[in-house]
Amino acid sequence: MAEPDPENLSSGAGQRLGAPETLGISTLDPGHKPPAMPPGRHVTVTVRMLDDTEEVFDVSQKASGKVLFDLVCSHMNLIEGDYFGLEFQNHKSMMVWLDHIKPIIKQLRRPKNTTLRFSVKFFPPDHAQLLEELTRYLFALQIKQDLSSGRMTCNDTSAALMVSHIIQSEIGDFDESHCRSHLLNNNYIPDQMPLIDKIMEFHSKHIGQSPAESDFQLLEVARKLDFYGIRLHPAKDREGSKLNLAVAHTGVLVFQTHTRINAFNWSKIRKLSFKRKRFLIKLRPDLNSSYQDTLEFLMASRDCCKVFWKICVEYHAFFRLFEEPKPKPKPMLFTRGSSFRFSGRTQKQVIDYVRESEFKKIPFERIFSSAQLCPCLFKLTQTDIFLPPSGFFFFFFCGFTTGVASHSPPPSGHPHGMVNGQKSLELCSHSLDGRQPSPLTSPLLNDACSIRTDDEDEVRRKRFPTDRAYFIAKELLTTERTYLKDLEVVTVSFQSVVGKDEETPDSLKNTILSTFEPLHKFHTGFLREVEQRLAIWEGRSNAHIKGDYQRIGDVMLKNLQALKPLTTNMHKHSDILLELEKACKASRRVENLCRDFELQKVCYIPLNVFVLRPLHRLIHYKQILERLCKHYPATHEDFRDCRAALADVSEVVDQLQGSLIKMENLQTLLELQKDLLGVDNLVVSGREFIRLGCLSKLSGKGLQQRMFFLFNDVILYTSRGMTPTNQFKVHGQLPLRGMTIRESEEEWGVPHAFTLVGQGQSVVVAASSLTEMEKWMQDIKMAIETAKTSNGPTSDVLTCTLTDNKCPEDSSAEAESEDDTSALNTSLEKPAPHRGNTMVHVCWHRSTSVSMVDFSVAVENQLSGNLLRKFKNSNGWQKLWVVFTNFSLFFYKSHQDDYPLASLPLLGYSVTVPAENENIHKDYVFKLHFKSHVYYFRSESEYTFERWMEVIRSATVSSSQARLLNSKDPHPH
């Protein structure tokens, strides 16, 4: 019988490691029905879970392995199922993975007497890539099993630290007698007794750490060990020396006893194959290497060779390919070698799907006995949740909103939710048997309970004025309501936090008080006058002469003249930003107060943005008055007042324009500094932000996702941090002086690639699209030219010098040192709340970028008002109060609510009008869509429809297009 001859493992292996078409559906498709069960006799199959409980599943003998695996994942509500597999002992007493393609009857000789184990199959290098708490929890259980079985060997310090995180998750905060008793009754590692005191010492430092945080810290320690996710396969070299082979995300590893003696990166491997008992690794030619072209290892049998070869093929495909391999055509006459091919999604496809999915991630609750772990995963009913596919999403419990961060370790393992990172209400009680109604319902966003419009609403709305001037005036009213709420965030909410704090400098308190209190008092009165005028205009008052009051210019002229004295000191708002930053650096307590305030629901955008709101509001007044002047004929009674008011506000805006540009740049730098880990002095005189976004960096391990930050003097490249803070860790800096840039798609064979050549180093990156590449190259070229002649900042950005300017993850191996305690120090630190919902994270999840021009356009395009919203497959329309700001839509029940119930970041979305075949038989409807996500919104008039389309386009088009749109007439009649 011919031996297998697998094709080369190279960058184009997607075509050569082809697989038959996947049967059924992926475990990642919760919106589809499970694959149909084939006809035939059914058998019961027992599966042992990672918590050692056993579940029985009823399947047809003719069903494929994928059908059974999907049933297991569905049972657990597991969305990231592709990291896992089912393994069993075959008839030759070898542990093998259940093949998803083959029928169960051809793999299990006696299904009733075979127990399959649900286990982790693919171990990623970065556990932050695991997007769900449930997935990290299952990984933690796998690590616990590997520790207790002795499979994961490590030094005593690492072992004790990992056990301390496990018992923190199981029994909670440290109590000496309880902890010692627990360790005496439960063995987590072989020969545990000598390490009990060290385990207890570590456990005492985890006070306050939730189960979810414990899982995250456990994986943080485990991932740095040589034996993380490793399964040893006995072999011998050509000289007969005993070795062990293993496969990891980086490639094939060679161990001697418990020491790793060699590692062959995927990029160096040309071909993997086996012939009888011999396992062959063919390497790419390397003149600087002493390796032979072909390495040969002898294993116990042909079956041993084949088992190891198959897992190598799967590991290579899962971690190295971007897409699931295409099926290979069947030969006409005969086959040669093994027909096995990888079947399933690659890691990149898994991550992309979960990030983009609008299906909610099911929360789960843990219940622990006093002795040992007894997890309980509640299977809650799925509901129609308004989910932004951006890295944070929202659950609604008993009519209240709860947001949960999905791309970072949650700050709590308990069933608490998060909005902007703050804890919310606990889940409503629910029963294990599912008889009690699921708490995942919302009268706001669940279609079954939606507030629907009816014919009476239609008739009543048509009685309102239809004049365009009325709707322009109504925009003034709706946006003024939002603006006054934003002022109250500072004058009421923030003042109540810092006002009584003794460590907050009096100068800061007085500056905020003297600046915002008069503004709040003025705009309270202004809003009252606008509301009264609109009530008369709509005929909802006792005024008899309505015609004289169907105008707004006189109200604006009088109030803008009264506002003018309050604008004289607005150029000093940057002083508030700097003084706030200075106070946070001087006092840890003030820093914590500000950070905790930003995590409250009411602070729905960064605090610094609220500080600049008064300047942005003047621009909005100018835009509204420009629309009115353009609409009115010169003879209209309201034209003269509008023109006079426009002249007044334009004078103030022109005077503040230069200061505003500097303040927006300062505010952006201050925000970026919070998102970056490893930056020492980002905010310095002369530094200007230009663009941030997601690019793929080419390294020895292939293309790796990185966040790049372009300033007028330097480019920083980062990856998302390994801590619960969700910050981005800076790995290198590229000074712009002396830099050159060139397209290099043909050179590297990577689409949309370009090379940055700096002082003694070069970096190859690839954009997600041609448009993204053009935006980056245009801005970088401009910055390079400017850096040649400007006297920009010269200070080093990083906290420490990176000698090789390379990301540590780019190295091919990470060895554990017995004396290395750096990992222990970081894992013992109490993590700060995460920042998982900033624009940096949205760009990371959408693989896009934004520029300073985009930010400037965004602050000029803000809007508020009522909209009717409909999901793609729902029937009724829901009335919501919607606020557009900071590239996002924020949703409220009404304008009187203090904080939003959900949000939708719009980067990557497209806004269009529905096609006829979508059967939306209503006027003034626009459609938002991103990949498979579709939402319909309905406005009340042609004018409001045009305005919503205009402002949303400002957040969904590139900066170059935004410049063009901004220069054109955006207000057609």
Side-chain angles (χ1 to χ4, degrees), residues 510-575:
N510 295 334
T511 303
I512 295 176
L513 189 66
S514 62
T515 302
F516 282 89
E517 281 291 349
L519 287 171
H520 180 261
K521 183 177 179 181
F522 167 80
H523 286 282
T524 302
F526 180 37
L527 175 61
R528 189 181 305 115
E529 287 191 42
V530 174
E531 287 177 331
Q532 290 171 353
R533 176 57 58 87
L534 265 293
I536 296 173
W537 201 333
E538 293 168 354
R540 291 185 288 117
S541 73
N542 295 325
H544 298 291
I545 309 175
K546 293 192 295 181
D548 292 340
Y549 292 95
Q550 290 183 346
R551 63 185 191 272
I552 197 67
D554 58 329
V555 176
M556 293 197 72
L557 177 60
K558 183 187 76 169
N559 281 278
L560 286 175
Q561 289 175 343
L563 177 64
K564 206 168 184 179
L566 300 180
T567 64
T568 55
N569 292 324
M570 280 190 180
H571 63 278
K572 294 185 178 180
H573 276 235
S574 59
D575 296 340

Side-chain angles (χ1 to χ4, degrees), residues 608-635:
N608 286 339
V609 177
F610 289 107
V611 176
L612 300 187
R613 275 289 196 250
L615 290 92
H616 298 151
R617 189 58 182 155
L618 293 174
I619 297 175
H620 303 153
Y621 292 148
K622 180 182 176 183
Q623 292 172 340
I624 288 172
L625 286 164
E626 286 173 342
R627 294 189 191 98
L628 284 168
C629 288
K630 189 167 185 176
H631 169 68
Y632 286 136
T635 56

Side-chain angles (χ1 to χ4, degrees), residues 464-476:
F464 284 143
T466 57
D467 182 26
R468 187 180 185 87
Y470 162 76
F471 291 108
I472 298 175
K474 191 169 183 180
E475 179 183 335
L476 171 66

Side-chain angles (χ1 to χ4, degrees), residues 498-513:
V498 299
K500 300 177 182 179
D501 180 62
E502 297 179 355
E503 291 191 27
T504 303
D506 290 336
S507 59
L508 176 61
K509 297 178 185 177
N510 295 334
T511 303
I512 295 176
L513 189 66

Side-chain angles (χ1 to χ4, degrees), residues 272-303:
L272 289 176
S273 62
F274 66 95
K275 295 183 179 180
R276 297 183 177 84
K277 296 182 180 181
R278 292 181 297 144
F279 185 80
L280 306 174
I281 303 176
K282 294 184 179 180
L283 302 176
R284 299 184 185 281
D286 188 352
L287 299 177
N288 299 321
S289 173
S290 60
Y291 290 134
Q292 307 169 56
D293 175 63
T294 302
L295 300 174
E296 184 178 305
F297 298 91
L298 189 67
M299 305 188 83
S301 66
R302 179 188 182 278
D303 289 332

Side-chain angles (χ1 to χ4, degrees), residues 703-718:
L703 289 172
Q704 295 180 311
Q705 187 179 6
R706 295 286 180 263
M707 276 296 292
F708 279 70
F709 298 82
L710 172 63
F711 303 94
N712 63 334
D713 62 319
V714 68
I715 298 176
L716 303 180
Y717 59 92
T718 72

